[in-house]
Amino acid sequence: MKIVVIGGTGLIGSKLVGKLNAHGHEAVAAAPNTGVNTLTGEGLAEVLEGASVVVDVSNSPSFEDEAVMDFFRTSTTNLLEAEAQAGVAHHVALSVVGTDRLQDSGYFRAKQVQEDLIKASGIPYSIVHATQFFEFMKRLTDSATEGDTVHLAHVKIRPVYSDDLAAAVDRAALGTPTNDVVEVAGPDEFELDQLIRELLAAGNDPRKVVADPGAKYFDAELQETSLLPGPDAEITETKFNDWLVQQR
């Protein structure tokens, strides 16, 4: 099959393109740097010609409320319209575990709009909800840092390795549309503040982590289980501590 991966040059997208090609499919990495821009529509009709599946793993370059909403609403609308014209049979999108529970956040409100557009499009779809991946933890830490202190809520999290997540998205892309949401999470459950302490210690980072009940997660208030998947989630294999050792 020809499978177009929107955001195909990023962390997850590049891994996914490699896996799909290894399975003998024609995976095409579509991104602004390959001449495909979902915000403007540039190159969409051309890249989707002959495509059976489209996988959207793109992300907004800005997390500011208005910008991120414009990105997901506009890009998803343009993409779905182009897919309908091209006769694409399966739309797969990567989203985030807990999106519907984190609507105080402009980012997650935008992700919810993306999901709602997909569900209303009439195109058969599969939405993969992932917990945050290991490689995102540094960005999360930096966003929660004030001076030399990291303020994080004492909540539970099951981060996932990007390669394992790409494999799960690969399976979704090659499978039958579920017209539903499937969840993917890592094998280990942590307290978020303790996880970041381990990450900083491994990198000899002197910042201090404080468990702060008022700390928000990209502007959203968290309950203890806000970031956890449900009982039917697909659980991946790679452990965070094993990955951390490999980073040294």
Side-chain angles (χ1 to χ4, degrees):
M1 292 188 295
K2 179 180 178 181
I3 302 171
V4 176
V5 181
I6 306 296
T9 60
L11 174 64
I12 303 298
S14 59
K15 291 174 181 283
L16 176 60
V17 167
K19 291 179 185 298
L20 291 168
N21 282 328
H23 290 146
H25 299 283
E26 179 193 354
V28 181
N33 59 1
T34 68
V36 180
N37 190 321
T38 53
L39 272 177
T40 64
E42 177 190 1
L44 269 180
E46 293 80 3
V47 78
L48 293 183
E49 186 174 349
S52 299
V53 181
V54 169
V55 186
D56 186 3
V57 296
S58 63
N59 206 355
S60 174
S62 169
F63 279 22
E64 187 275 324
D65 284 5
E66 187 174 341
V68 73
M69 180 63 78
D70 180 64
F71 176 85
F72 281 115
R73 177 181 285 133
T74 303
S75 63
T76 304
T77 297
N78 288 341
L79 182 56
L80 292 169
E81 288 178 352
E83 287 178 32
Q85 289 292 323
V88 170
H90 188 187
H91 179 97
V92 180
L94 179 60
S95 193
V96 188
V97 163
T99 290
D100 59 337
R101 300 189 292 269
L102 301 170
Q103 292 296 294
D104 290 341
S105 163
Y107 180 83
F108 289 104
R109 287 195 298 272
K111 290 297 289 182
Q112 189 63 60
V113 166
Q114 177 192 27
E115 293 185 24
D116 291 344
L117 287 168
I118 293 166
K119 293 173 183 178
S121 70
I123 297 171
Y125 69 89
S126 302
I127 297 174
V128 178
H129 268 195
T131 53
Q132 292 297 356
F133 35 92
F134 299 164
E135 294 90 340
F136 187 78
M137 292 301 143
K138 183 182 185 303
R139 180 171 182 175
L140 173 60
T141 303
D142 292 345
S143 74
T145 297
E146 298 176 10
D148 61 355
T149 304
V150 185
H151 293 262
L152 294 165
H154 188 67
V155 297
K156 298 181 184 300
I157 189 169
R158 294 188 72 145
V160 65
Y161 179 36
S162 61
D163 198 68
D164 291 345
L165 175 55
V169 178
D170 172 82
R171 289 190 291 274
L174 299 181
T176 302
T178 63
N179 294 318
D180 203 353
V181 173
V182 296
E183 294 185 317
V184 180
D188 298 315
E189 185 175 296
F190 297 89
E191 300 290 350
L192 178 58
D193 53 316
Q194 185 57 38
L195 176 70
I196 300 305
R197 285 191 191 95
E198 293 183 23
L199 178 67
L200 295 182
N204 297 312
D205 190 315
R207 284 179 287 180
K208 177 183 178 182
V209 177
V210 173
D212 182 351
K216 294 186 176 182
Y217 184 81
F218 300 102
D219 297 325
E221 293 186 3
L222 294 176
Q223 303 300 316
E224 184 181 20
T225 60
S226 295
L227 304 179
L228 290 182
D232 296 327
E234 175 185 335
I235 304 302
T236 59
E237 294 185 359
T238 306
K239 293 178 174 293
F240 179 79
N241 287 328
D242 291 341
W243 172 82
L244 202 55
V245 168
Q246 296 171 6
Q247 306 311 302
R248 294 174 182 170

